Amino acid sequence: PSRRSPPWTVLAGPRAPDDARPCTACPNRAWVPCRFTGSRRSTMPIPDTVHPANQDWKASLTPGHVVRFRFPVVAEAGHQPVAKRRPCLVLEVFHLSGQRFVKLAYGTSAETRANRGCEVRVNQPDGCAAAGLDRPTRFVGARSIIVSVENPSFEHVSETGSPVMGRLDASLTGRLTVIRKRLRLGATRAKNRSTERKAPRTRTANS
């Protein structure tokens, strides 16, 4: 579709127009000028995407949820990070000192060769619809951040009433598991290397 496509609109009336076609790739699960199929109108009912909605989303987050978050991005070397609103994938959820934290992976639609082995790609229309995305997106596991669920950079989405946009569909859960294990292994190796570097210094100081 062109940039002059009309804004998102809901077709009034119980009967769909004759030229209306169902669209399984609707970004906000409503009626669309769809960028995936070119369909101008759709009578497709809103899918039942699994998300915490207006309930206590902070306590309901689990790995696989997609949230809207103002992710700190460094535009140029030497400059301070700038908060950029992005879809982010929840990689981990854990507690520390009685507080709930999540590890978020940066989401982008840009196609680059960076971090190819450590990303979750959402390319299919059905997958985008389930995750609440309006275009194919890749979540970069190597570009992640750990934040409290109380962080003010979470932004509510009008369609869900919470920062939760949607969730990865079942076809991507295996890939998410692989990436989570890969990141955990990398973190363990980095910790071991750090311990090994500190050990000689400690023995020298005590000798």
Side-chain angles (χ1 to χ4, degrees):
S2 68
R3 294 182 179 178
R4 295 184 179 180
S5 296
W8 304 75
T9 56
V10 176
L11 299 179
R15 183 178 181 279
D18 293 336
D19 63 343
R21 291 184 295 164
C23 174
T24 60
C26 175
N28 66 349
R29 298 169 295 282
W31 290 263
V32 300
C34 179
R35 76 180 65 209
F36 290 96
T37 64
S39 173
R40 288 283 179 177
R41 288 175 286 188
S42 172
T43 56
M44 190 75 173
I46 296 176
D48 184 21
T49 302
V50 179
H51 56 72
N54 281 320
Q55 303 171 8
D56 188 2
W57 64 271
K58 297 175 183 178
S60 303
L61 286 178
T62 58
H65 274 118
V66 177
V67 297
R68 179 179 289 174
F69 184 81
R70 295 193 300 276
F71 201 98
V73 176
V74 178
E76 298 180 18
H79 288 67
Q80 291 295 322
V82 177
K84 187 176 182 180
R85 185 172 65 183
R86 305 303 307 163
C88 295
L89 176 63
V90 178
L91 295 174
E92 304 288 350
V93 179
F94 56 93
H95 292 82
L96 181 64
S97 300
Q99 297 188 48
R100 190 175 175 86
F101 290 82
V102 292
K103 185 175 184 178
L104 304 176
Y106 181 83
T108 177
S109 59
E111 288 291 338
T112 68
R113 295 180 179 274
N115 304 304
R116 282 293 179 92
C118 199
E119 63 183 13
V120 177
R121 285 178 172 267
V122 184
N123 291 327
Q124 299 303 315
D126 287 347
C128 289
L133 302 168
D134 65 355
R135 68 195 68 189
T137 300
R138 63 190 187 97
F139 294 100
V140 185
R143 192 175 183 182
S144 59
I145 186 173
I146 296 176
V147 298
S148 166
V149 294
E150 303 296 336
N151 194 297
S153 291
F154 283 102
E155 285 194 356
H156 278 60
V157 181
S158 60
E159 291 79 18
T160 65
S162 78
V164 180
M165 300 172 62
R167 186 176 181 83
L168 295 182
D169 65 13
S171 66
L172 293 172
T173 54
R175 177 62 178 173
L176 174 60
T177 299
V178 170
I179 295 305
R180 292 175 66 199
K181 289 181 178 179
R182 189 171 296 171
L183 291 173
R184 289 174 183 173
L185 180 60
T188 299
R189 289 175 175 173
K191 183 178 180 180
N192 291 340
R193 286 194 297 268
S194 177
T195 301
E196 291 172 358
R197 286 194 297 268
K198 293 178 181 179
R201 298 177 185 175
T202 301
R203 288 196 294 268
T204 302
N206 294 333
S207 59

